[in-house]
Amino acid sequence: MKTHEENIQFYLENGGDHKIANRHKLPTLQNRAKISYLISQQKPKESITYQDEEKKYQDVSESNKEEIQPTKPAFIGFISQYPTELHSAYQECYNAWIKVCSYKIQLNDVVPLDVEDAYQLQLKIFKSISKFDRYKNSLDYWNENKRILPTESKKDYSKFTPLELDQERRNLASLICRRKQTIEKKEKELPVKSDPNYNKKYIAIQFKKEQLEELILDENKIVTILKSLATS
């Protein structure tokens, strides 16, 4: 899947408006959808981002149709293989995928010239894919490590002023950047599995990844609040 920055670059390279690109520079859900839509209208036409996301799971869809059946969603397994703490994440993941499929079908039925309806459906697809990825990541993390990766922010920002929220967002962005660098460094230093210290160092890295996810969720929560305040 291409990053938002790569999509902007592609948009500009194919004659896109620099002012529009700058106005939609931040990788918010709406900006990603807007740039993707503009790309879809350019010549040569390239598949938009939500289609890249759909392709990410297409192999599973084609090889095992049970994935869209409530009795056996093959792409996330059975709920019984997860601890009770992840059962809500399991349900949210499955529901999000069903919404992606539904919105995609609706998008296929939109009249070609009905730009606004198509755009709104693309936004819904992006939002559902983002939600699906978040919960699926947590389920995959459990299957691989038998550890729980958080899926929701537990921080209460209700008493923060907009200025405090923005400052906290900046602090979190800095912490996230440093934590990613630390994890990358530690992963490069990880010894071979036969090393006596492997398990200890591996678990330490996983713990840092869980902390990183908490920071990212907190940052996303603040961005959502700030966006809500800006439009209210």
Side-chain angles (χ1 to χ4, degrees), residues 109-123:
D109 293 335
V110 170
V111 177
L113 295 179
D114 199 342
V115 177
E116 183 59 27
D117 279 356
Y119 177 64
Q120 291 302 321
L121 282 169
Q122 287 179 40
L123 285 178

Side-chain angles (χ1 to χ4, degrees), residues 87-103:
H87 285 184
S88 61
Y90 179 97
Q91 188 63 50
E92 292 287 353
C93 182
Y94 181 68
N95 290 342
W97 178 248
I98 292 299
K99 286 185 178 180
V100 171
C101 296
S102 175
Y103 292 143

Side-chain angles (χ1 to χ4, degrees), residues 73-88:
F75 63 102
I76 55 176
F78 293 101
I79 194 171
S80 58
Q81 73 190 62
Y82 303 100
T84 55
E85 294 93 332
L86 287 177
H87 285 184
S88 61

Side-chain angles (χ1 to χ4, degrees), residues 101-159:
C101 296
S102 175
Y103 292 143
K104 181 59 173 65
I105 293 171
Q106 293 176 55
L107 184 61
N108 290 340
D109 293 335
V110 170
V111 177
L113 295 179
D114 199 342
V115 177
E116 183 59 27
D117 279 356
Y119 177 64
Q120 291 302 321
L121 282 169
Q122 287 179 40
L123 285 178
K124 290 180 180 180
I125 290 172
F126 269 108
K127 187 174 182 180
S128 294
I129 286 175
S130 178
K131 188 173 184 179
F132 172 85
D133 283 343
R134 173 155 50 96
Y135 290 111
K136 180 66 161 55
N137 188 41
S138 182
L139 298 179
D140 289 343
Y141 189 81
W142 171 263
N143 287 330
E144 183 178 350
N145 302 289
K146 294 300 181 282
R147 294 172 64 90
I148 294 177
L149 193 69
T151 57
E152 302 289 345
S153 171
K154 297 180 180 179
K155 293 291 183 67
D156 181 8
Y157 295 109
S158 60
K159 296 182 180 180

Side-chain angles (χ1 to χ4, degrees), residues 15-79:
D17 189 318
H18 283 270
K19 291 182 179 179
I20 293 177
N22 288 333
R23 192 159 60 242
H24 297 84
K25 187 175 181 180
L26 292 176
T28 64
L29 201 62
Q30 287 77 6
N31 288 349
R32 288 167 56 197
K34 181 65 175 180
I35 294 298
S36 293
Y37 172 75
L38 291 173
I39 288 174
S40 74
Q41 302 304 301
Q42 289 180 318
K43 301 295 182 180
K45 186 174 181 180
E46 179 173 282
S47 297
I48 57 179
T49 309
Y50 79 83
Q51 290 173 323
D52 292 333
E53 286 288 352
E54 182 189 33
K55 186 177 179 181
K56 183 177 177 182
Y57 306 105
Q58 191 175 29
D59 291 341
V60 176
S61 300
E62 292 300 323
S63 64
N64 195 337
K65 297 300 182 180
E66 287 103 339
E67 72 166 299
I68 59 171
Q69 298 297 324
T71 55
K72 189 180 179 182
F75 63 102
I76 55 176
F78 293 101
I79 194 171

Side-chain angles (χ1 to χ4, degrees), residues 199-223:
N199 286 337
K200 181 180 179 180
K201 292 185 176 182
Y202 179 80
I203 292 175
I205 292 174
Q206 301 313 113
F207 181 67
K208 289 187 180 297
K209 286 184 177 180
E210 292 157 21
Q211 291 180 321
L212 171 62
E213 190 64 21
E214 290 179 359
L215 294 174
I216 292 174
L217 290 171
D218 290 342
E219 181 187 38
N220 290 341
K221 188 173 187 177
I222 290 177
V223 170

